[in-house]
Amino acid sequence: MSLNRAILSWPRVARDRLPLALWSAETIAEAVGGTASGAFQVSGVEIDSRDVRAGDLFIALKGESTDGHRFIGKAFANGAAAALVSEPIDWPHILVEDTSAALEALAAAARERAEAVRIGVTGSVGKTGVKEAIFAALDRTSRGAAHRSVRSYNNHVGVPLSLARMPARSRFGVFEMGMNHAGEIDHLTRQVRPHIAVVTTIAPAHIENLGSEEAIADAKGEIFAGLVEGGTAVIPADSPHFERLRGHAQACGAQVVSFGRSAHADARLLDAIPSANGGALVTADISGTRLCFTVAEPGEHWISNALAVMATVKAAGGDLAAAGLALAEMGGLKGRGARHRIAVTGGHALLIDESYNANPASMRATLRQLGQTPATRRIAVLGSMKELGDFGPGFHAQLAEPLAEAQVDFAVLVGDEMRALSRELGKPGSNSLAAGLAFAHCDGPGEAIGALEEFGLAAGDAILVKGSNAIGLGRVVAHFVDRGSTRREG
């Protein structure tokens, strides 16, 4: 048989009849109940005119402080193919009454047209990293037919936007869901309608608004309410809130799959050997299948994360071997564990970028990892942890113990809430958990840069930068990464 005949006789499947373009004017108008100005096709969906790329559909959302219609000209200047608007414009568009409602309608249409296995991910710590790892595993399994929410698009705008961007030919879709208050995840999960819902862990993040870890577990457990019939709940077996989460899942009719070190875990750790680059060689039992794989990301918390990924991949019908390869190749995300080799006096130092987010559990985990990182000196730049309310002073002061355990040589404490830790470290002699630890308190990232410059970074140092995003410690990372030749490490 000739090559041409072989190609022509290649068996066709239903997915081959699905459109290659993300959306057409006709399909958008049908999905949102709007009126199209004419025929067009778009290759992406965007809500920020600054991020628009050639071929995008720009959705002009109206908020309390701004109106996307003001930026339509900029969106088209950046290459938008069309806009979704509630006011007539001279460019190609779909006209609707309410652009926010139209975004949710477009998201629902994207969900229904794709035969993708949808996965929702939430948790107090680690949800973005786990989301990225699940995507990497399933993208390898499906040879590029996986989709996920980018960055931390996990709120009432980010989730429907991520859904609206899902191509019709997707085989898997992975969506992150966040919250500050009870009821928020319930709304998001009913938009995604996941086949699999993952809770990474429960910790006192957003405790200011929810009042207790039990209430946080209840709020995270809302993700199970959106599961399709017969869906799967993936939950942490080692959590003190395991029974609470399992109860929520079972009440929604979910099949429960657990992960962790506990003997009853379905995805159970058997052994973990630290590797030279800070990762681990993991042996695990995944629902009766024994696997040995490498986790590139450093830290004990990533061993637990990897078990959650494996449990999810198995539930989704993915390839566990491909998932193992993906975990071995993952590098740290910007603001969430990326490692940089920075130029300093006498050579190079390691800078660990955890500047995007922080809560008591993640602070302890990353300080523990810093303590296990080979270094001449260990330096911690810690920014305030937000949304802790009246619990804040206590949680900040309690960081003295993990600082001491990590054998930190110098700590830079940034933000008003960090004054509680500053007072704890400043206690005389035996009254302090970290007696003798050198530290400086700074009001903002500019002062923190000055404190590090005055201290003097040197070859062999390991510097951890971690804090809530509102503190702006990404500026500290950028300062030291950008000032000299660097390379990003695995």
Side-chain angles (χ1 to χ4, degrees):
M1 181 183 293
S2 69
L3 178 60
N4 286 342
R5 288 185 61 192
I7 293 173
L8 291 173
S9 64
W10 191 269
R12 293 181 63 82
V13 297
R15 290 179 71 250
D16 293 330
R17 293 190 290 272
L18 294 171
L20 291 172
L22 183 62
W23 294 102
S24 67
E26 180 182 3
T27 55
I28 297 170
E30 181 181 357
V32 304
T35 303
S37 65
F40 57 78
Q41 292 184 331
V42 300
S43 55
V45 182
E46 188 53 72
I47 60 172
D48 190 329
S49 63
R50 296 167 297 184
D51 294 333
V52 166
R53 295 182 296 181
D56 279 351
L57 172 72
F58 174 63
I59 301 181
L61 297 178
K62 290 186 176 181
E64 294 180 2
S65 59
T66 189
D67 182 350
H69 292 80
R70 293 170 46 203
F71 307 101
I72 285 173
K74 182 176 181 180
F76 279 94
N78 286 343
L84 185 61
V85 295
S86 58
E87 303 168 8
I89 60 173
D90 293 333
W91 291 281
H93 65 274
I94 302 288
L95 184 63
V96 296
E97 290 186 6
D98 183 332
T99 52
S100 293
L103 172 59
E104 292 197 5
L106 192 63
R111 180 191 69 214
E112 294 304 318
R113 71 174 180 173
E115 296 182 357
V117 175
R118 297 181 301 277
I119 299 152
V121 182
T122 192
S124 302
V125 182
K127 54 184 176 291
T128 299
V130 168
K131 177 258 297 181
E132 290 292 330
I134 293 171
F135 165 75
L138 295 176
D139 199 49
R140 184 183 284 266
T141 288
S142 62
R143 298 183 180 181
H147 171 77
R148 95 299 204 175
S149 50
V150 298
R151 289 178 272 186
S152 291
Y153 280 16
N154 61 20
N155 62 8
H156 66 288
V157 174
V159 169
L161 177 62
S162 299
L163 274 166
R165 290 170 166 175
M166 182 167 62
R169 293 175 176 234
S170 299
R171 288 180 53 195
F172 300 99
V174 192
F175 303 93
E176 180 179 336
M177 301 180 204
M179 62 87 189
N180 293 317
H181 298 82
E184 290 177 320
I185 288 181
D186 182 83
H187 177 67
L188 300 178
T189 189
R190 293 182 191 278
Q191 289 184 336
V192 174
R193 296 287 291 147
H195 299 86
I196 304 165
V198 184
V199 177
T200 60
T201 190
I202 302 298
H206 313 303
I207 198 168
E208 175 183 20
N209 300 323
L210 293 160
S212 68
E213 280 198 17
E214 290 75 15
I216 293 170
D218 292 339
K220 297 296 184 183
E222 292 171 11
I223 195 172
F224 308 130
L227 279 168
V228 300
E229 184 176 353
T232 301
V234 179
I235 62 176
D238 304 329
S239 171
H241 307 289
F242 170 75
E243 292 295 342
R244 198 178 198 92
L245 290 170
R246 182 166 68 172
H248 285 302
Q250 291 176 335
C252 295
Q255 304 176 50
V256 176
V257 175
S258 61
F259 63 90
R261 299 171 181 269
S262 300
H264 65 83
D266 299 293
R268 181 166 59 93
L269 179 68
L270 300 177
D271 190 28
I273 302 172
S275 59
N277 65 352
L281 179 65
V282 173
T283 304
D285 185 299
I286 313 297
S287 299
T289 300
R290 180 169 291 208
L291 291 175
C292 186
F293 55 92
T294 298
V295 179
E297 296 279 10
E300 290 185 14
H301 56 293
W302 259 104
I303 295 173
S304 177
N305 288 349
L307 295 173
V309 171
M310 287 298 191
T312 303
V313 169
K314 185 173 180 64
D319 186 327
L320 291 176
L325 291 173
L327 287 167
E329 294 175 355
M330 278 196 71
L333 305 173
K334 179 181 179 181
R336 301 178 185 275
R339 294 185 160 212
H340 299 274
R341 187 169 179 255
I342 64 171
V344 295
T345 301
H348 292 88
L350 172 67
L351 189 148
I352 304 168
D353 178 12
E354 287 274 0
S355 60
Y356 189 82
N357 200 8
N359 59 51
S362 65
M363 277 287 197
R364 286 179 173 271
T366 49
L367 283 169
R368 187 180 308 116
Q369 180 56 35
L370 177 64
Q372 296 169 355
T373 301
T376 304
R377 299 182 303 180
R378 297 184 180 90
I379 300 158
V381 183
L382 306 182
S384 296
M385 301 178 288
K386 296 294 187 179
E387 298 186 22
L388 296 176
D390 293 340
F391 299 90
F395 280 125
H396 283 84
Q398 289 167 16
L399 293 177
E401 181 179 3
L403 276 169
E405 291 174 348
Q407 296 183 311
V408 169
D409 296 282
F410 182 54
V412 180
L413 314 178
V414 188
D416 189 61
E417 292 89 342
M418 275 291 169
R419 294 186 189 280
L421 178 55
S422 180
R423 288 191 294 270
E424 182 65 33
L425 296 178
K427 288 181 178 178
S430 60
N431 291 334
S432 173
L433 290 170
L437 190 156
F439 70 94
H441 181 268
C442 304
D443 289 330
E447 288 186 27
I449 292 170
L452 288 172
E453 297 279 18
E454 183 178 349
F455 178 72
L457 301 182
D461 287 347
I463 308 107
L464 169 67
V465 182
K466 185 169 182 64
S468 290
N469 192 40
I471 302 302
L473 294 186
R475 180 180 161 191
V476 176
V477 174
H479 174 83
F480 289 100
V481 168
D482 295 343
R483 72 175 186 176
S485 59
T486 68
R487 66 179 174 87
R488 187 164 169 171
E489 302 199 331

